[in-house]
């Protein structure tokens, strides 16, 4: 019966579902409880010569329950989707992910008792696939990284599930004003340091949600900190940002898992950030290995991209005689990439020569001088 134009009668449609509301309250409680019982992540110091008067810190996001920065994002995405009524009992959550977000989302899906399917590039590291399955998720591989979005949406339609779509919702799901987000945490942990307001925060971009959260918080709190986003090879973010081109694309995927995208993602907010660097993949790997020598910890390639850029900024501060602090992120542990960034055979197969970049870092850390490879 059509209700168009009906007058004189109140039309009332009540879709309340008592059983669903009970399930929803419990699901939200479980996700919030995860945040409540998880200790904050550490802020590690990268050793620099004392006479430089510069402190370099790494926010160690690898200590989250699922081992990466993406744990924060997955928690926010689940709360956002639950409170919007998008996740329903018994129906799968589906995500397009290069790995770490999928690991974290599989964890939260298991926590609230719904199936999870990760749509990933076929080149995703075996260790990440193992972790997704360990947390109860299923891996669905896409031969073309550009087709991940379409395949995820089609799977959601076919199964009646929810496509989480981190690349659209990352920047809006996180409360950038505070609520112990990563930016507020950094500033709280720096409160007793000699330079409590960092000159720069360096954050690599996969979705762009982390750089947007940090930048918005900095602006909201009226800090003078600048935000730098390094971008790896085969990613379009740098070109899109420098050319003011929201439609920039790249024709192949990034070798540095977790960051870089073949299209300008909706969660990447170019206007919020101050600076970008295009970092060679060989430089990212060299920085991973330099980090291990400096602090005794292996980290993933995205961390190396950030460390390379942070050390370049440090070199500029040394050259200008400026003191202060710089913060970057330790995104995930290197044991997920032993067959890639820590494998000389993989480097040779990829045609990557890290020696010139390792020399640049060694020269900086011994003399304070930055010599770009090939310069």
């Amino acid at each position: 019966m059509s209700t168009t134009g009906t007058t004189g009668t109140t039309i009332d449609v009540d879709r309340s579902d008592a059983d669903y509301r009970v399930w929803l309250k419990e699901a939200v409680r479980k996700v919030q409880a995860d945040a409540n019982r998880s200790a904050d992540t550490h802020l590690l110091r990268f050793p620099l010569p004392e006479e430089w008067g510069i402190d370099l810190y790494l926010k160690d996001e690898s200590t989250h329950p699922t081992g990466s920065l993406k744990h924060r994002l997955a928690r926010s995405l689940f709360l956002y989707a639950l409170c919007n009524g998008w996740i329903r009992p018994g129906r799968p959550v589906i995500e397009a992910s290069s790995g770490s977000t999928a690991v974290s989302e599989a964890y939260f899906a298991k926590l609230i008792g719904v199936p999870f399917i990760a749509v990933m590039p076929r080149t995703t590291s075996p260790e990440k696939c193992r972790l997704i399955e360990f947390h109860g998720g299923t891996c669905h591989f896409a031969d073309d990284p550009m087709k991940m979005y379409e395949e995820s949406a089609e799977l959601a339609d076919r199964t009646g599930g929810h496509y989480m779509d981190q690349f659209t919702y990352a920047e809006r799901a996180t409360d950038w004003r505070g609520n112990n987000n990563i930016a507020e945490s950094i500033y709280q942990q720096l409160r007793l340091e000699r330079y409590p307001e960092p000159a720069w925060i360096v954050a690599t971009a996969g979705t762009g949600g982390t750089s947007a959260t940090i930048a918005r918080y900095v602006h909201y709190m009226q800090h003078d900190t600048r935000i730098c986003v390094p971008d790896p090879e085969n990613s379009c973010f740098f070109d899109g940002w420098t050319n003011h081109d929201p439609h920039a694309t790249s024709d192949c995927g990034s070798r540095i898992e977790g960051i870089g995208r073949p299209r300008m993602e909706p969660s990447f907010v170019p206007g919020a950030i101050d600076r970008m660097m295009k970092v060679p993949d060989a430089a990212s790997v060299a920085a991973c290995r330099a980090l291990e020598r400096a602090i005794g910890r292996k980290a993933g390639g995205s961390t190396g991209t950030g460390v390379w850029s942070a050390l370049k900024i440090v070199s500029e501060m040394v050259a200008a005689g400026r003191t202060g602090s710089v913060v970057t992120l330790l995104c995930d542990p290197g044991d997920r990439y032993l067959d890639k960034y820590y494998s000389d055979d993989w480097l040779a197969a990829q045609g990557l020569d890290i020696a010139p970049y390792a020399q640049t870092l060694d020269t900086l850390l011994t003399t304070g001088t930055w010599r770009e490879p090939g310069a």
Side-chain angles (χ1 to χ4, degrees):
M1 178 181 66
S2 173
T3 59
T4 303
T6 300
T7 60
T9 303
T10 299
I11 299 173
D12 187 350
V13 179
D14 186 348
R15 291 178 174 165
S16 298
D17 183 335
D19 291 338
Y20 166 67
R21 289 297 292 272
V22 169
W23 179 87
L24 177 62
K25 287 172 66 176
E26 181 65 3
V28 171
R29 183 196 68 77
K30 288 177 178 177
V31 176
Q32 290 180 330
D34 172 84
N36 197 50
R37 67 174 174 266
S38 298
D40 202 358
T41 60
H42 302 300
L43 202 59
L44 309 178
R45 290 189 65 176
F46 186 104
L48 297 174
E50 184 67 25
E51 62 269 21
W52 290 2
I54 300 171
D55 296 328
L56 174 58
Y57 301 92
L58 292 103
K59 180 69 166 161
D60 185 7
E61 295 292 287
S62 72
T63 58
H64 283 294
T66 53
S68 84
L69 168 68
K70 301 300 186 179
H71 193 86
R72 292 182 190 268
L73 172 60
R75 183 194 297 129
S76 295
L77 288 168
F78 265 81
L79 284 173
Y80 190 73
L82 284 165
C83 293
N84 279 329
W86 295 341
I87 298 177
R88 297 281 168 160
R91 299 183 188 177
V93 170
I94 294 143
E95 185 63 285
S97 171
S98 62
S100 286
T101 301
V103 173
S104 298
E105 288 187 9
Y107 168 91
F108 283 104
K110 184 177 183 180
L111 188 68
I112 66 172
V114 297
F116 178 76
I117 303 170
V119 181
M120 305 181 297
R122 198 167 291 281
T123 55
T124 300
S125 73
E127 178 60 15
K128 283 185 180 177
C129 298
R130 185 192 69 78
L131 288 170
I132 290 165
E133 292 170 351
F134 172 79
H135 290 299
T138 301
C139 298
H140 176 96
F141 295 105
D143 292 316
D144 181 355
M146 287 295 288
K147 299 291 187 183
M148 286 167 50
Y149 317 92
E150 294 174 27
E151 291 191 33
S152 297
E154 288 170 3
L155 267 174
D157 286 342
R158 211 161 55 235
T159 62
H162 170 60
Y163 172 28
M164 191 71 87
D165 196 1
Q166 60 169 319
F167 298 107
T168 295
Y169 294 106
E171 56 86 12
R172 66 192 74 173
T174 302
D175 182 0
W176 48 265
R177 295 172 186 84
N179 193 25
N180 195 36
N181 65 29
I182 189 169
E184 183 179 51
S185 175
I186 288 170
Y187 280 91
Q188 284 295 320
Q189 290 176 317
L190 285 173
R191 188 168 50 87
L192 300 180
E193 301 297 309
R194 58 176 176 171
Y195 307 116
E197 184 172 307
W200 287 91
I201 296 178
V202 178
T204 51
T207 62
T210 299
S211 61
T213 297
I214 294 172
R216 287 165 168 171
Y217 180 85
V218 164
H219 301 156
Y220 181 69
M221 298 301 294
Q222 304 161 55
H223 293 304
D224 290 327
T225 305
R226 301 296 187 260
I227 309 301
C228 175
V229 175
D231 204 33
E233 294 177 25
N234 303 325
S235 174
C236 71
F237 285 152
F238 181 84
D239 290 341
W241 185 79
T242 54
N243 296 320
H244 304 282
D245 180 6
H247 305 295
T249 60
S250 173
D251 58 5
C252 58
S254 169
R255 280 183 294 210
I256 306 301
E257 288 191 27
I259 60 171
R261 298 300 303 159
R263 70 174 191 180
M264 294 290 281
E265 302 293 354
S267 280
F268 180 65
V269 184
I273 61 180
D274 300 285
R275 178 177 182 178
M276 289 197 71
M277 295 186 194
K278 193 71 171 179
V279 177
D281 290 348
S284 298
V285 177
C288 285
R289 298 188 179 194
L291 178 66
E292 183 182 15
R293 292 192 295 273
I295 69 170
R297 295 276 300 278
K298 284 185 171 69
S302 58
T303 300
T305 309
V307 168
W308 176 269
S309 297
L311 286 171
K312 188 174 191 300
I313 290 171
V314 167
S315 74
E316 295 167 356
M317 294 172 68
V318 172
R322 297 196 305 271
T323 58
S325 59
V326 177
V327 178
T328 188
L329 310 179
L330 201 166
C331 303
D332 62 357
D335 57 8
R336 296 181 177 184
Y337 311 98
L338 296 179
D339 60 341
K340 286 192 172 183
Y341 313 127
Y342 295 91
S343 166
D344 291 339
D345 290 340
W346 182 84
L347 290 176
Q350 296 292 316
L352 295 177
D353 180 10
I354 68 172
Y357 301 94
Q359 182 61 51
T360 292
L361 296 176
D362 289 343
T363 300
L364 169 65
L365 296 173
T366 54
T367 70
T369 302
W370 183 273
R371 292 193 177 92
E372 196 71 33

